[in-house]
Amino acid sequence: MKVLVLNCGSSSIKYQLLEMPAAELLAKGLIERIGEPEGYISQTVGGIKQQKTLPIADHGVGLREALSALTQGEGAPLADLDEIEAVGHRVVHGGEDFTGTVVIDEAVLDALRANVPLAPLHNPANILGIEVAQRTLPCATQVGVFDTAFHQTMPPHAYLYAIPKALYREDRVRRYGFHGTSHRFVTAAAAEALGRPVEALNLITCHLGNGASVAAIAGGRSIDTSMGLTPLEGLVMGTRSGDLDPALIFHIARAKGLSLDAVDKLLNKQSGLLGLSGQSNDCRVLEERAEAGDEDALLALEVFAYRLKKYIGAYSAALGRVDAVIFTAGIGENSPWVRAHACAGLEILGIKLDEAKNNTRGVVDISAAEATTRVLVLPTNEERLIAEDTYALAQKP
Ligand code: ADP
């Protein structure tokens, strides 16, 4: 069965075509700058990348461009669009309505629309992607995979904020957590790597990409995670501040005469590694500059690693026993410096890295022989998990 995985943002569409159940990647592509005078589309098939720029008026045009790229030209992975039997949509916010992957029907779409206030930037684009896919591929089963679903197992003492309870009852203001597909993927991968059933494992999973979050996983269930009502809370990220004193928002607004929207933008788009370094949101760039003696770049990375270390400590307390700490996503998979600094001094928790292993690309278990908590580097693959969920649901009558 051919499954299309779609990740629609406000001005972009990322997609992958997979042959299931083998999870063979047939094509992947990216459409950017939708709605701007000059859009961009790139597609990779069989290791060959093709790209072009053209105006892409809206998501409908974008998806049709992607689909025609899949059916035309030499080596096209599809002879006919009807071969796509199912579409798996990445949906950012499922609120409290979705604890797992679902086949999308009108009731699901209504629930997604009702959750728009919780994710005003992300959910409208996801809904648009679903509507466009329904129109363009009417015979395919449409499936929704939610970033929040995996964290719905959190207990109330972990998801409630200490604010008037009515805000939770009436407006569903609480911690939701994100990156759930990635945390779920590496949880399963860790169980496989350790050769133990997931039910027997307590894990701390660190998804460190442009967005970053940590989760405490007990017996395969998320019991706490660092992102909150929105993806702003928790770790330092590429351009997001992560945790801060909430009173700082009012202080900045008053001191600088900024609107709430301007502070929102400042904390989401101008903070994090970018804001601290004043240079870049890119960890690799900052590592190169720090290496060359740039103190601002070094300090930004130190704040990033220190915040992560505090979360590893906090989630060790939440879990009681930690079998493994997992590093994944762009920074987690590729930065020995961040891993070493986040784990430094955690011997009291049984965490100790083997320096040579940490510095060797491709080594999964980078912990020292005497460590009682394993530290693993595992590549994440959210698209694959979305395709697996979609395949599983599309097969049912
Ligand atoms: P996204 O959240 O956009 O999917 P990724 O998971 O691709 O992000 O992670 C992007 C981050 O990974 C960037 O900060 C990038 O610098 C970092 N990264 C990628 N490769 C390396 C590397 N070799 N060393 C350090 N950081 C890296």
Side-chain angles (χ1 to χ4, degrees), residues 1 3 85-86 103 141 143 389-397:
M1 179 192 294
V3 171
E85 288 184 57
V103 173
T141 308
V143 170
D389 277 10
T390 303
Y391 172 69
L393 287 186
Q395 272 187 316
K396 294 200 177 126

Side-chain angles (χ1 to χ4, degrees), residues 98-103 143-146 149 184 385-386 389-390 393:
F98 300 103
T99 56
T101 300
V102 294
V103 173
V143 170
V145 183
F146 303 90
R184 180 156 69 100
L385 191 47
I386 292 173
D389 277 10
T390 303
L393 287 186

Side-chain angles (χ1 to χ4, degrees), residues 208-211 281-284 287 329-331 334-335 361:
L208 312 176
N210 251 317
N281 64 334
D282 192 309
C283 178
R284 189 170 12 188
E287 284 189 20
I331 299 172
N334 295 301
S335 175
R361 186 169 288 277

Side-chain angles (χ1 to χ4, degrees), residues 14 79 91 125 129 168 176 203 269 290 296 349 367 369 384 394:
K14 285 187 204 144
V91 182
Y168 170 60
Y176 289 95
L203 305 172
K269 304 265 185 216
D296 288 332
L349 300 175
S367 34
R384 181 178 173 146

Side-chain angles (χ1 to χ4, degrees), residues 33-102:
R33 303 197 292 267
I34 294 172
E36 291 182 28
E38 182 135 283
Y40 169 82
I41 172 166
S42 78
Q43 180 166 282
T44 306
V45 181
I48 297 165
K49 185 171 177 176
Q50 291 182 315
Q51 44 197 333
K52 60 180 175 179
T53 52
L54 75 170
I56 300 167
D58 55 35
H59 285 70
V61 174
L63 185 61
R64 279 192 291 278
E65 277 293 332
L67 292 173
S68 74
L70 290 172
T71 49
Q72 286 164 17
E74 211 177 314
L78 294 175
D80 194 296
L81 287 183
D82 289 346
E83 290 174 47
I84 299 175
E85 288 184 57
V87 184
H89 296 268
R90 179 193 178 203
V91 182
V92 170
H93 216 308
E96 290 187 322
D97 296 311
F98 300 103
T99 56
T101 300
V102 294

